[in-house]
Amino acid sequence: QVNVYSMDVASNDVFTIYAGTETGFLNKSTDKGESWTLMAPEYFFGGAITAVVVDPQNNNIVYVSGGNQVHKSTDGGLSWTPK
């Protein structure tokens, strides 16, 4: 069991949902939540993911707040860079 601390739905594709957990992991669904994929399991966000924001124009651009930092992905959550 893991608690979801944050989530966002892509405004240009309601099938795409990102969910951040208390344990610092990010999961993505591309089928309205029927199935989920753990994104970048080796990337350390620095703690619980307290916010997730999907760019309203491009759902491959995602921002995550984890620990005391914001992280950005430009490839739909496959890779991340701290900002």
Side-chain angles (χ1 to χ4, degrees):
Q1 172 183 328
V2 174
N3 293 319
V4 172
Y5 272 13
S6 57
M7 65 185 318
D8 197 16
V9 178
S11 61
N12 63 351
D13 176 10
V14 296
F15 286 86
T16 301
I17 307 167
Y18 291 87
T21 69
E22 68 177 326
T23 53
F25 291 105
L26 184 73
N27 295 282
K28 178 181 179 180
S29 175
T30 56
D31 57 10
K32 285 189 170 182
E34 292 291 322
S35 62
W36 294 88
T37 302
L38 178 61
M39 304 308 295
E42 302 299 321
Y43 185 81
F44 182 61
F45 288 100
I49 297 178
T50 56
V52 178
V53 176
V54 182
D55 185 290
Q57 304 300 318
N58 182 348
N59 64 356
N60 284 315
I61 299 174
V62 184
Y63 296 92
V64 164
S65 173
N68 292 324
Q69 196 164 27
V70 174
H71 309 265
K72 181 181 181 182
S73 175
T74 58
D75 59 8
L78 296 174
S79 62
W80 295 86
T81 54
K83 290 292 166 195

